[in-house]
Amino acid sequence: MLRRIGLAALVLVIAALAAMVWQHSKYASIRRDMVQDRQALFHGAVFHVVTFLQTAPGEDVIDAVRAFKQDTEGVQGAKWIYAGKAAIDAITSSQLPPVDWSAVVLLQYPSRAAYEAHAASAEYQAALEAFETSYSHGARRSAGVNLMLPQALLARRVLRAVTFQSADYPFTPAPASDALPRLADIASALQANAELGADAIAIVNLIKHGTPEQQAADRVYVGRMMDLMADKGYGPVHLGAAETLPGGRDYDDFAIVYYPGVDYFFEMVSSTYMQGIAGDKQLSDTQATITAPILDLL
């Protein structure tokens, strides 16, 4: 009897490990091939900088970002991790000027000091001056926490399955009369980036937490979103603490969240599911920019 129990426990452990390896492999493939994200899974105390860019009127966004990459990659150890063509700001931060951003890029440096040395150089300033305007914010991401995010989603998926919780997908379209604000603008922006974002879009977020009451409501929203992400196999690719740079604004967290393409995203935001949870998304302030991956084109 004890031998059977031991064998059953061993089988369960092997099955759990196999599921974890499969989950890791799936998310690593999504990150590399769909999101075009070049983050190393294991890294030390590196420093990340997310930069929002606005190109000059009439300038090709991809050409402009490509030139910026050529001018900055490798300098002071800078590594390009992600680059996205901005489709639209889903939410515009009250701390930032009302800018229609053209692109968002994420760079990694060996340290904050390395970034500051780069940012202070005439070459870096000249590269930024090629754009109409820009805004940069620092971030610290834990390799361990981010490595475990897919496993946390897997655990959530298993829990939902064994407790027979109902799935949120497929979505039910919401009545047109109850559409979320700016839904028509988002639809138009997604359609304009349908080719680049056919397989993946990534929302770049700078987050400022609200009051305790707002944070409690937001946890409900995040929980419902994490349930959907666990069921559908997508979610955060970067999560960390925001770190203000000189002259910067005040945010608490930084996140980049992957969604499986423009069609799926629009189906979600125009559904009764999103209508039912949108009111719980309560923050003091946030910048949330929808982007389509372009790093492979640079």
Side-chain angles (χ1 to χ4, degrees):
M1 182 67 176
L2 290 176
R3 183 178 180 183
R4 290 181 179 178
I5 293 174
L7 286 173
L10 179 60
V11 169
L12 287 174
V13 169
I14 293 173
L17 290 174
M20 292 175 68
V21 171
W22 171 82
Q23 180 83 340
H24 170 81
S25 177
K26 180 181 72 171
Y27 274 80
S29 177
I30 287 171
R31 177 193 291 275
R32 179 183 64 252
D33 300 329
M34 301 299 185
V35 189
Q36 301 173 31
D37 187 278
R38 301 297 178 256
Q39 181 64 63
L41 291 176
F42 303 99
H43 60 75
V46 295
F47 187 67
H48 287 78
V49 178
V50 57
T51 300
F52 296 78
L53 301 163
Q54 183 190 42
T55 57
E59 186 172 12
D60 183 83
V61 173
I62 293 176
D63 286 345
V65 178
R66 182 184 295 117
F68 186 53
K69 181 174 183 287
Q70 291 171 348
D71 290 339
T72 57
E73 189 168 37
V75 182
Q76 291 290 341
K79 295 181 180 180
W80 275 59
I81 303 300
Y82 176 77
K85 180 178 179 288
I88 191 172
D89 292 333
I91 305 174
T92 301
S93 173
S94 62
Q95 300 183 67
L96 297 178
V99 172
D100 290 329
W101 298 111
S102 306
V104 186
V105 302
L106 179 67
L107 275 66
Q108 175 186 295
Y109 289 85
S111 65
R112 176 164 177 157
Y115 162 73
E116 290 180 343
H118 191 190
S121 69
E123 292 78 10
Y124 185 87
Q125 293 299 317
L128 275 186
E129 286 172 3
F131 296 90
E132 287 287 287
T133 189
S134 65
Y135 176 74
S136 294
H137 205 89
R140 301 275 185 181
R141 78 187 295 280
S142 163
V145 168
N146 282 270
L147 186 63
M148 289 308 297
L149 280 172
Q151 304 305 330
L153 290 172
L154 175 62
R156 200 175 192 109
R157 182 178 181 180
V158 171
L159 179 62
R160 284 172 58 76
V162 300
T163 55
F164 303 102
Q165 297 182 45
S166 59
D168 294 306
Y169 188 86
F171 299 121
T172 300
S177 58
D178 296 329
L180 297 175
R182 302 190 66 222
L183 186 60
D185 292 339
I186 291 174
S188 177
L190 292 176
Q191 186 59 40
N193 291 275
E195 184 175 354
L196 289 173
D199 297 319
I201 61 170
I203 302 185
V204 182
N205 301 271
L206 293 173
I207 299 164
K208 179 67 178 174
H209 298 308
T211 65
E213 293 76 17
Q214 288 176 314
Q215 292 181 50
D218 196 61
R219 282 193 292 271
V220 174
Y221 170 84
V222 171
R224 288 296 307 279
M225 288 294 286
M226 292 291 283
D227 285 343
L228 181 61
M229 291 174 183
D231 288 345
K232 293 295 295 175
Y234 66 94
V237 292
H238 292 280
L239 186 64
E243 190 165 319
T244 302
L245 302 173
R249 309 299 187 263
D250 182 24
Y251 300 101
D252 298 311
D253 290 331
F254 158 76
I256 297 181
V257 182
Y258 147 75
Y259 293 82
V262 296
D263 290 341
Y264 174 86
F265 186 78
F266 182 72
E267 188 181 357
M268 182 187 72
V269 297
S270 59
S271 69
T272 56
Y273 162 81
M274 181 57 72
Q275 183 187 73
I277 68 172
D280 288 325
K281 184 176 177 61
Q282 298 184 30
L283 300 165
S284 174
D285 189 29
T286 185
Q287 176 69 29
T289 302
I290 303 172
T291 68
I294 60 170
L295 189 55
D296 284 356
L297 299 176
L298 304 182

